[in-house]
Amino acid sequence: MNSKMVIAIDGPAGAGKGTVSKALAKDLNLAYMDTGALYRAVAYSMLENNANIENAEEAGKYASMLGNEISFDVLNSPNLRTAEVGIAVSKIAAITEVRKALFECQINFAKNPPLDKNGSILDGRDIGTVICPTADFKLFVTASAEVRAERRHKELLEKGENIAFETVLNDIRERDKRDSNRKDAPLKPAEDAIIIDTSNLSILEAINKCKENIK
Ligand code: DC
């Protein structure tokens, strides 16, 4: 029997769920998985190889190569965070073959944290609804599209990507639409998730609010 804790964090892009998850992982000694990076790695590998991201079968093939022909090392690549990958990834994340191929490694991670960890924490879009529906704690971290675009814009400028705020805001809105309206595992809070709106919170306030809800 696995009595270790599982925490599911979901929410749209730029709401702060990654920052919150990393802080909780450290505080509670949990293994952390950024599941968005799995989808980004598939999109990035396809773009690198000039593969057709609209082709479901091919996208599924790339997803099943992750951890095999495509090393998990790619998950740490800064190339996963470019605006180009950001646009491609929400398209491939809507493909059922891709979601199926990435299902197993997420479940395994959630159920089998290293022995020295108290459990696992995963962030994404469907963790509380599909991947870990029986998670001990479910948080849905969100913020307005404008605030999320401001955060993302700042991040891209700092990385040297010269991009207009309006473009970032439009991309965020497009991705929200695609993530929320897709048939397979759409972005939505689980019925038993606690909603945390970070629009008017600093990073520290957002982290503390999530901690309060868990402790
Ligand atoms: O969290 P992120 O922005 O890195 O996610 C990248 C994309 O992957 C985003 O468009 C939604 C998708 N995604 C998903 O469909 N399911 C997940 N569990 C995680 C991410």
Side-chain angles (χ1 to χ4, degrees), residues 60-122:
K61 209 173 75 192
Y62 270 83
S64 58
M65 280 156 61
L66 189 61
N68 300 302
E69 292 91 337
I70 304 171
S71 160
F72 276 133
D73 289 348
V74 70
L75 297 177
N76 303 315
S77 165
N79 296 332
L80 301 192
R81 308 279 148 197
T82 63
E84 191 194 9
V85 170
I87 293 166
V89 67
S90 67
K91 293 185 183 161
I92 67 107
I95 298 173
T96 298
E97 286 82 347
V98 171
R99 307 201 71 85
K100 269 195 194 147
L102 297 180
F103 187 79
E104 198 82 3
C105 79
Q106 295 175 78
I107 298 269
N108 279 341
F109 184 91
K111 290 196 173 160
N112 303 299
L115 285 178
D116 63 331
K117 296 287 180 187
N118 296 330
S120 54
I121 181 164
L122 290 84

Side-chain angles (χ1 to χ4, degrees), residues 17 35-36 39-40 89-90 93 99 124-126 175 179 182:
K17 56 185 189 315
T35 65
Y39 291 90
R40 285 176 180 274
V89 67
S90 67
R99 307 201 71 85
R125 303 292 188 286
D126 62 341
R175 284 176 60 186
D179 289 348
R182 69 179 176 227

Side-chain angles (χ1 to χ4, degrees), residues 156-182:
L156 289 171
L157 290 186
E158 279 168 6
K159 274 198 306 198
E161 272 197 60
N162 196 4
I163 188 165
F165 171 76
E166 281 306 316
T167 310
V168 179
L169 180 59
N170 285 338
D171 286 351
I172 289 242
R173 288 194 171 132
E174 275 301 307
R175 284 176 60 186
D176 281 358
K177 221 190 296 172
R178 272 199 291 267
D179 289 348
S180 307
N181 295 337
R182 69 179 176 227

